[in-house]
């Protein structure tokens, strides 16, 4: 029977029940609902609704239920209960009889569901931070390994200036570091307990809500009951954090797909994360990366969808809000899976040093160096830029790199050019010169790796788990 049967003389239409019930997805809040219920039973003792002995009995039964849910959460799906809150209450009544019916005193599913979901988000955020940290660790490991892996860096997907694969890895390290800081700040705002807000106007029992919040590990209790039961900012924030991080993951994936293509061939992906073609025996497809790139669509859709769901909703609780969970759960699952896959891909790839280096040499990626050389010899930069442009056109016509031109040929473009230009045009010089903070010089990359390692070490101390 539904929790609200008394007011109704007709049973719900089967089709409505199916449409309305949320157990099929909110069963994932089982542990949180039980933990919240134990805390609530303790609060009910302080307002003389339950005796200490009754509370004890309820707590024992709830703990039994908790252990069984921890062991097999999917058992919940066998039930006809409307939602996870009804399921827990039914199970409790099965265990302790009428006493179980007292637990819902002064509480509503409206404050309960937001409490459960916030508790769930806290656990998941800790878990996500841990996984992102693993990816950051992989990126730092790769940066360390590939410090001398030279490749062209791109703008507009045109070869621009030489970089190293290490520097590329550290770029993604920065993005995922920001993703963690976004998660932490989301966590700060959602770490507030709505329990004791009742259906919308507050609970009619003089419960110490701060003590209740403490009991549940929240840093405080919400200030306003209307807001408490209708606020889902934290869902939208978490979806937004996920969307930004998935955008990072998709750019990571796309870069590697390009680097792995037959034409570019800077890296080779391992057999463990690629698949073959049913028709073309030569193929090794980067499915792992394509799926990361593709799954972003679901997450961005979840963010857009949930913002639209909440737009214009009147205060306080509305059933529309039940629609927050599926996209959130799905998003967190996808985010996790993509992070894991990114780690697997990165840890196993092989860098093709020779090909990447020759590509870095071929694309006139040292043209800026020649311009800077002219500037050092007193040519104004704009003029130097023009001279180098003409030199590049000439070199292309001769199918030679800039450093392949003879001094006599170079001098036809500017007579300030001397023998010392050849050292300047080398890849090593191009890299070494970018030695200001954040640049690609081997020395700066070393500094960045050391800083990242130190940061990771302090970040690995998790507060929430
Ligand atoms: N399943 C509901 C949800 O997820 C729980 C809250 C139900 N509240 C209510 N007044 N019907 O939103």
């Amino acid at each position: 029977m539904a929790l609200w049967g008394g007011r109704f003389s007709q049973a719900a239409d089967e089709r409505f029940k199916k449409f309305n019930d949320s157990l099929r997805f909110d069963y994932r809040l089982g542990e949180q609902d039980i933990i919240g219920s134990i805390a609530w039973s303790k609060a009910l003792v302080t307002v003389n609704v339950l005796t200490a002995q009754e509370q004890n009995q309820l707590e024992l039964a709830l703990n039994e239920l908790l252990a069984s849910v921890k062991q097999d959460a999917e058992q919940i799906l066998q039930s006809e209960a409307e939602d996870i809150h009804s399921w827990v209450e039914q199970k409790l009544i099965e265990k302790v009889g009428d006493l179980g019916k007292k637990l819902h005193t002064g509480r509503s599913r409206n404050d309960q569901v937001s409490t459960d979901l916030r508790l769930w988000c806290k656990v998941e955020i800790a878990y996500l931070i841990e996984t992102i940290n693993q990816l950051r660790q992989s990126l730092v490991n790769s940066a360390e390994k590939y410090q001398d892996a030279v490749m062209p860096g791109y703008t507009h997907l045109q070869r621009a200036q030489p970089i190293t694969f290490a520097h590329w890895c550290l770029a993604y390290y920065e993005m995922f570091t920001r993703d963690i800081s976004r998660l932490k700040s989301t966590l700060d705002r959602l770490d507030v307990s709505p329990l004791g807000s009742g259906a919308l106007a507050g609970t009619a029992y003089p419960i110490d809500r701060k003590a209740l919040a403490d009991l549940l590990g929240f840093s405080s209790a919400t200030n306003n009951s209307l807001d408490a039961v209708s606020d889902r900012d934290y869902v939208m924030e978490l979806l937004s954090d996920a969307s930004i991080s998935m955008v990072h993951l998709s750019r990571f994936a796309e870069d590697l797909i390009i680097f792995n293509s037959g034409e570019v061939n800077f890296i080779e992906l391992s057999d463990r994360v690629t698949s073959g073609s049913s028709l073309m025996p030569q193929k090794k497809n980067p499915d792992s990366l394509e799926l990361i790139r593709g799954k972003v669509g679901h997450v961005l859709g979840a963010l857009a969808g949930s913002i639209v769901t909440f737009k214009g909703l009147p205060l306080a609780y509305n059933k529309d809000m039940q629609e927050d969970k599926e996209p959130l759960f799905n998003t967190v699952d996808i985010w996790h899976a993509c992070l894991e896959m990114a780690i697997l891909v990165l840890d196993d790839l092989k860098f093709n040093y020779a090909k990447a280096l020759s590509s870095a040499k071929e694309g006139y990626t040292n043209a800026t160096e020649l311009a800077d050389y002219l500037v050092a010899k007193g040519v104004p930069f704009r003029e130097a830029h023009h001279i180098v442009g003409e030199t590049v056109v000439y070199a292309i016509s001769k199918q030679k790199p800039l450093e392949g031109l003879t001094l006599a040929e170079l001098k036809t473009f500017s007579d300030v050019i001397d023998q010392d230009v050849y050292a300047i045009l080398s890849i090593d010089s191009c890299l070494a010169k970018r030695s200001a903070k954040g640049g690609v010089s081997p020395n700066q990359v070393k500094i960045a790796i050391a800083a990242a390692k130190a940061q990771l070490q302090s970040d690995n101390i998790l507060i929430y788990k």
Side-chain angles (χ1 to χ4, degrees):
M1 219 217 349
L3 293 177
W4 31 263
R7 162 82 171 71
F8 293 78
S9 47
Q10 262 191 314
D13 188 285
E14 258 316 302
R15 287 160 296 185
F16 166 71
K17 179 166 165 47
K18 214 168 149 207
F19 188 63
N20 186 53
D21 289 0
S22 52
L23 189 69
R24 126 188 106 70
F25 49 88
D26 68 15
Y27 79 97
R28 290 181 66 168
L29 300 175
E31 288 184 33
Q32 288 73 26
D33 200 76
I34 298 170
I35 289 167
S37 296
I38 293 173
W40 187 246
S41 71
K42 289 180 177 163
L44 288 181
V45 176
T46 67
V47 293
N48 303 319
V49 170
L50 292 176
T51 66
Q53 195 260 331
E54 285 174 326
Q55 189 281 327
N56 201 26
Q57 210 182 331
L58 287 177
E59 187 170 345
L60 278 174
L62 286 165
N63 271 325
E64 254 178 49
L65 197 55
L66 181 60
S68 123
V69 166
K70 276 189 173 162
Q71 219 180 20
D72 174 20
E74 313 238 317
Q75 63 173 297
I76 302 172
L77 294 170
Q78 307 306 317
S79 159
E80 289 287 298
E82 178 185 339
D83 57 22
I84 188 61
H85 325 294
S86 326
W87 184 83
V88 170
E89 193 170 315
Q90 272 175 23
K91 286 285 159 189
L92 189 63
I93 295 167
E94 275 172 30
K95 280 180 189 288
V96 299
D98 280 352
L99 173 60
K101 297 180 181 167
K102 286 190 175 181
L103 180 65
H104 209 55
T105 316
R107 182 175 73 162
S108 157
R109 282 183 293 164
N110 298 353
D111 56 355
Q112 202 178 343
V113 70
S114 191
T115 305
D116 293 359
L117 196 56
R118 285 167 192 264
L119 287 172
W120 184 87
C121 288
K122 286 178 70 172
V123 173
E124 289 301 318
I125 286 176
Y127 186 25
L128 283 163
I129 288 178
E130 212 172 274
T131 314
I132 298 175
N133 275 341
Q134 283 164 16
L135 176 55
R136 287 165 78 214
Q137 184 67 60
S138 285
L139 286 161
V140 173
N141 294 346
S142 296
E144 209 160 24
K145 184 163 154 197
Y146 295 115
Q147 289 177 73
D148 54 356
V150 178
M151 59 184 262
Y154 296 85
T155 60
H156 314 271
L157 208 52
Q158 304 283 315
R159 273 174 274 187
Q161 288 173 347
I163 59 168
T164 55
F165 192 58
H167 200 53
W168 179 92
C169 289
L170 291 172
Y172 283 97
Y173 172 86
E174 293 296 326
M175 295 178 227
F176 293 113
T177 301
R178 290 196 295 273
D179 291 347
I180 287 192
S181 100
R182 258 184 289 275
L183 274 173
K184 284 182 175 163
S185 98
T186 297
L187 181 60
D188 280 347
R189 273 181 298 281
L190 73 75
D191 192 16
V192 186
S193 170
L195 201 56
S197 298
L200 76 164
T203 183
Y205 296 81
I207 277 165
D208 179 346
R209 293 193 52 233
K210 171 67 181 127
L212 181 57
D214 287 347
L215 211 55
L216 284 169
F218 284 110
S219 66
S220 59
T222 50
N223 290 327
N224 179 289
S225 61
L226 286 175
D227 175 52
V229 296
S230 47
D231 168 27
R232 293 293 185 276
D233 290 3
Y234 61 98
V235 173
M236 291 182 263
E237 276 193 53
L238 196 44
L239 290 173
S240 146
D241 298 345
S243 297
I244 295 173
S245 185
M246 286 296 294
V247 166
H248 294 154
L249 282 162
S250 77
R251 296 183 73 174
F252 167 94
E254 173 64 0
D255 269 349
L256 292 180
I257 290 168
I258 293 172
F259 299 164
N260 181 64
S261 73
E263 285 68 26
V264 176
N265 195 20
F266 296 165
I267 61 166
E268 191 189 334
L269 298 181
S270 121
D271 288 359
R272 303 203 306 156
V273 293
T274 46
S275 81
S277 153
S278 55
L279 178 74
M280 299 163 281
Q282 84 283 12
K283 300 244 345 236
K284 194 168 139 182
N285 299 325
D287 303 39
S288 46
L289 294 168
E290 289 169 330
L291 285 170
I292 292 176
R293 190 177 57 186
K295 284 179 190 293
V296 182
H298 296 289
V299 174
L300 301 189
L303 171 64
S306 81
I307 288 178
V308 174
T309 297
F310 286 95
K311 179 199 169 291
L313 268 194
L315 290 185
Y317 179 84
N318 300 270
K319 199 58 173 270
D320 315 43
M321 295 167 75
Q322 179 166 287
E323 297 299 307
D324 59 357
K325 284 167 218 65
E326 274 180 296
L328 180 65
F329 294 162
N330 195 27
T331 289
V332 168
D333 291 345
I334 290 174
W335 192 0
H336 258 299
C338 291
L339 287 164
E340 250 168 32
M341 205 46 58
I343 295 168
L344 211 56
V345 169
L346 186 64
D347 285 352
D348 259 14
L349 63 77
K350 274 211 292 264
F351 195 81
N352 189 347
Y353 287 81
K355 175 65 178 42
L357 178 64
S358 77
S359 201
K361 282 182 174 166
E362 274 162 21
Y364 299 97
T365 58
N366 52 1
T368 318
E369 267 30 65
L370 183 55
D372 285 340
Y373 171 86
L374 294 173
V375 168
K377 300 235 166 177
V379 182
F381 181 77
R382 197 43 60 211
E383 207 174 303
H385 188 282
H386 188 76
I387 293 170
V388 177
E390 286 177 341
T391 317
V392 168
V393 171
Y394 174 80
I396 291 172
S397 75
K398 296 284 166 194
Q399 292 185 328
K400 284 182 183 171
L402 287 175
E403 62 277 24
L405 301 177
T406 64
L407 190 55
E409 282 174 304
L410 286 169
K411 271 191 179 297
T412 61
F413 297 96
S414 169
D415 57 12
V416 303
I417 301 179
D418 254 317
Q419 191 61 37
D420 58 353
V421 75
Y422 292 105
I424 292 291
L425 291 176
S426 74
I427 290 273
D428 285 348
S429 159
C430 294
L431 295 173
K433 276 179 74 184
R434 288 176 166 77
S435 61
K437 181 176 189 236
V440 73
S441 79
N443 198 34
Q444 271 306 327
V445 169
K446 263 198 180 56
I447 293 170
I449 290 171
K453 277 180 165 177
Q455 195 179 36
L456 262 178
Q457 201 150 33
S458 66
D459 285 1
N460 270 327
I461 305 154
L462 284 179
I463 307 159
Y464 301 99
K465 184 76 202 194

